[in-house]
Amino acid sequence: MAVSSPSGNAQSSLEKYGVKPFTKSNILHYYAPLYGVANYGLLSVNVMNPNLMIKISPKRDITNFLLVGSVVGTGLYISNTKLVKSAVAKKQVMYSACGSLLFTFGSVLMWAVLRNVLPDNKYLAVAAGVASGVTLTAVGKEYLEFIDSKLK
């Protein structure tokens, strides 16, 4: 019977829950996108119900902070796809930035329009913002995985 080291055992049990070791690659392409998606979720709440976010952060508007976190996280996720990695370095940055900006700013525009067409109900607005953000994130991830699956 093989005996595993305590650190190796703890390592594998943490990985079972999605906690990856802190390597440069994991920080850039796993933790930063997770941070970005958290910012994206909070951004949806912020756009759909700004008064709620003011209660959380009353001293300053955190919209730009959330926007930058979302753009950076999304861009780093896109940059780690097979398709983007197959491009030259300059194009990788350009494609990742373009995809990230289109996704994030398109979402903000959609939320702003959605907020105006929904009845004046802050709970409905937040639910619609979070639900649409989760849906767009899931579809975007699936789309990128589909494209990568077509590459040889």
Side-chain angles (χ1 to χ4, degrees), residues 1-147:
M1 179 192 293
V3 178
S4 63
S5 70
S7 64
N9 193 14
Q11 180 78 23
S12 63
S13 67
L14 286 175
E15 286 185 45
K16 183 169 53 173
Y17 297 107
V19 178
K20 294 187 176 191
F22 288 104
T23 64
K24 180 181 176 185
S25 177
N26 285 344
I27 289 170
L28 288 176
H29 302 294
Y30 181 76
Y31 288 106
L34 277 178
Y35 173 77
V37 82
N39 278 265
Y40 181 74
L42 289 172
L43 183 61
S44 73
V45 173
N46 188 45
V47 173
M48 296 301 284
N49 186 359
N51 292 331
L52 180 62
M53 295 306 285
I54 289 172
K55 290 177 185 175
I56 294 170
S57 177
K59 293 187 179 183
R60 66 178 352 166
D61 180 19
I62 60 170
T63 304
N64 290 337
F65 176 79
L66 296 172
L67 195 59
V68 169
S70 178
V71 167
V72 170
T74 304
L76 287 169
Y77 183 82
I78 293 170
S79 74
N80 197 40
T81 62
K82 286 183 200 176
L83 181 64
V84 172
K85 282 181 172 181
S86 68
V88 296
K90 278 185 180 179
K91 299 282 185 177
Q92 287 179 19
V93 172
M94 185 174 66
Y95 297 154
S96 298
C98 182
S100 180
L101 289 167
L102 287 172
F103 178 77
T104 306
F105 281 90
S107 297
V108 170
L109 177 60
M110 181 198 66
W111 293 323
V113 170
L114 193 58
R115 185 181 69 209
N116 285 326
V117 299
L118 286 174
D120 191 20
N121 180 320
K122 60 185 173 185
Y123 302 110
L124 176 62
V126 169
V130 171
S132 61
V134 167
T135 302
L136 287 171
T137 301
V139 171
K141 183 178 184 293
E142 185 178 320
Y143 173 70
L144 292 172
E145 288 171 352
F146 173 75
I147 291 172

